[in-house]
Short mmCIF file of all heavy atoms in Angstrom, two decimals:
data_model
loop_
_atom_site.label_atom_id
_atom_site.label_comp_id
_atom_site.label_asym_id
_atom_site.label_seq_id
_atom_site.Cartn_x
_atom_site.Cartn_y
_atom_site.Cartn_z
N ARG A 319 175.97 171.45 161.85
CA ARG A 319 177.21 172.09 162.32
C ARG A 319 177.36 171.83 163.82
O ARG A 319 177.28 172.72 164.66
CB ARG A 319 177.23 173.58 162.00
CG ARG A 319 177.34 173.85 160.50
CD ARG A 319 177.67 175.29 160.21
NE ARG A 319 176.53 176.16 160.40
CZ ARG A 319 176.55 177.25 161.14
NH1 ARG A 319 177.65 177.61 161.78
NH2 ARG A 319 175.47 177.99 161.26
N ALA A 320 177.58 170.56 164.13
CA ALA A 320 177.56 170.08 165.51
C ALA A 320 178.53 170.82 166.42
O ALA A 320 178.22 171.08 167.59
CB ALA A 320 177.87 168.58 165.53
N GLU A 321 179.69 171.19 165.88
CA GLU A 321 180.70 171.86 166.70
C GLU A 321 180.20 173.22 167.21
O GLU A 321 180.71 173.74 168.20
CB GLU A 321 182.01 172.01 165.92
CG GLU A 321 182.00 173.03 164.81
CD GLU A 321 181.28 172.58 163.54
OE1 GLU A 321 180.81 171.41 163.51
OE2 GLU A 321 181.18 173.37 162.59
N VAL A 322 179.21 173.77 166.52
CA VAL A 322 178.59 175.03 166.94
C VAL A 322 177.30 174.77 167.71
O VAL A 322 177.03 175.39 168.75
CB VAL A 322 178.29 175.93 165.72
CG1 VAL A 322 177.47 177.15 166.12
CG2 VAL A 322 179.59 176.37 165.05
N ALA A 323 176.49 173.85 167.20
CA ALA A 323 175.15 173.63 167.76
C ALA A 323 175.18 173.06 169.17
O ALA A 323 174.36 173.46 170.02
CB ALA A 323 174.35 172.72 166.84
N TYR A 324 176.10 172.13 169.45
CA TYR A 324 176.15 171.55 170.80
C TYR A 324 176.41 172.61 171.88
O TYR A 324 175.64 172.73 172.83
CB TYR A 324 177.21 170.45 170.87
CG TYR A 324 176.74 169.09 170.43
CD1 TYR A 324 177.29 168.48 169.31
CD2 TYR A 324 175.78 168.38 171.15
CE1 TYR A 324 176.88 167.22 168.90
CE2 TYR A 324 175.37 167.12 170.76
CZ TYR A 324 175.92 166.54 169.62
OH TYR A 324 175.51 165.30 169.22
N PRO A 325 177.52 173.39 171.77
CA PRO A 325 177.74 174.39 172.82
C PRO A 325 176.67 175.48 172.84
O PRO A 325 176.29 175.96 173.92
CB PRO A 325 179.12 174.98 172.47
CG PRO A 325 179.37 174.61 171.05
CD PRO A 325 178.66 173.32 170.83
N GLN A 326 176.15 175.86 171.66
CA GLN A 326 175.11 176.88 171.64
C GLN A 326 173.86 176.41 172.37
O GLN A 326 173.27 177.14 173.18
CB GLN A 326 174.75 177.22 170.19
CG GLN A 326 175.29 178.56 169.73
CD GLN A 326 174.59 179.03 168.48
OE1 GLN A 326 174.84 178.52 167.39
NE2 GLN A 326 173.72 180.01 168.63
N ALA A 327 173.43 175.19 172.08
CA ALA A 327 172.23 174.65 172.73
C ALA A 327 172.44 174.54 174.24
O ALA A 327 171.55 174.86 175.03
CB ALA A 327 171.89 173.28 172.14
N ALA A 328 173.65 174.11 174.64
CA ALA A 328 173.94 173.98 176.07
C ALA A 328 173.98 175.34 176.75
O ALA A 328 173.50 175.51 177.88
CB ALA A 328 175.28 173.27 176.27
N SER A 329 174.54 176.33 176.07
CA SER A 329 174.59 177.68 176.62
C SER A 329 173.19 178.25 176.78
O SER A 329 172.87 178.92 177.78
CB SER A 329 175.43 178.59 175.71
OG SER A 329 175.46 179.91 176.20
N LEU A 330 172.31 177.98 175.81
CA LEU A 330 170.94 178.45 175.90
C LEU A 330 170.22 177.78 177.07
O LEU A 330 169.49 178.44 177.83
CB LEU A 330 170.20 178.16 174.59
CG LEU A 330 168.72 178.57 174.55
CD1 LEU A 330 168.57 180.08 174.77
CD2 LEU A 330 168.08 178.15 173.22
N VAL A 331 170.41 176.47 177.24
CA VAL A 331 169.80 175.76 178.37
C VAL A 331 170.30 176.33 179.70
O VAL A 331 169.52 176.57 180.62
CB VAL A 331 170.09 174.25 178.27
CG1 VAL A 331 169.82 173.55 179.61
CG2 VAL A 331 169.25 173.61 177.17
N LYS A 332 171.60 176.56 179.78
CA LYS A 332 172.17 177.13 181.01
C LYS A 332 171.55 178.50 181.30
O LYS A 332 171.20 178.81 182.46
CB LYS A 332 173.69 177.27 180.85
CG LYS A 332 174.39 177.84 182.08
CD LYS A 332 175.89 177.96 181.82
CE LYS A 332 176.60 178.59 183.03
NZ LYS A 332 178.04 178.79 182.77
N PHE A 333 171.40 179.32 180.27
CA PHE A 333 170.78 180.63 180.43
C PHE A 333 169.34 180.51 180.93
O PHE A 333 168.92 181.22 181.85
CB PHE A 333 170.81 181.38 179.10
CG PHE A 333 169.77 182.45 178.98
CD1 PHE A 333 169.90 183.64 179.70
CD2 PHE A 333 168.66 182.28 178.16
CE1 PHE A 333 168.92 184.64 179.59
CE2 PHE A 333 167.69 183.26 178.05
CZ PHE A 333 167.83 184.45 178.77
N LEU A 334 168.57 179.61 180.34
CA LEU A 334 167.16 179.44 180.75
C LEU A 334 167.07 179.02 182.21
O LEU A 334 166.21 179.52 182.95
CB LEU A 334 166.49 178.39 179.86
CG LEU A 334 166.28 178.77 178.39
CD1 LEU A 334 165.75 177.58 177.60
CD2 LEU A 334 165.33 179.96 178.27
N LEU A 335 167.94 178.12 182.63
CA LEU A 335 167.93 177.68 184.02
C LEU A 335 168.29 178.81 184.97
O LEU A 335 167.64 179.00 186.01
CB LEU A 335 168.91 176.52 184.20
CG LEU A 335 168.39 175.12 183.84
CD1 LEU A 335 169.55 174.16 183.62
CD2 LEU A 335 167.47 174.60 184.94
N GLU A 336 169.32 179.56 184.63
CA GLU A 336 169.80 180.60 185.54
C GLU A 336 168.92 181.85 185.50
O GLU A 336 168.74 182.51 186.53
CB GLU A 336 171.25 180.96 185.18
CG GLU A 336 172.22 179.81 185.44
CD GLU A 336 173.65 180.14 185.06
OE1 GLU A 336 173.87 181.23 184.47
OE2 GLU A 336 174.55 179.32 185.34
N ARG A 337 168.37 182.16 184.36
CA ARG A 337 167.56 183.39 184.23
C ARG A 337 166.12 183.18 184.70
O ARG A 337 165.54 184.05 185.37
CB ARG A 337 167.57 183.85 182.77
CG ARG A 337 166.61 184.98 182.44
CD ARG A 337 167.00 186.27 183.12
NE ARG A 337 166.12 187.36 182.73
CZ ARG A 337 164.91 187.59 183.25
NH1 ARG A 337 164.45 186.80 184.22
NH2 ARG A 337 164.17 188.61 182.83
#
Side-chain angles (χ1 to χ4, degrees):
R319 292 193 285 128
E321 72 283 358
V322 172
Y324 275 115
Q326 254 197 285
S329 178
L330 179 60
V331 164
K332 181 181 178 183
F333 157 72
L334 292 173
L335 277 162
E336 294 179 353
R337 171 67 176 81

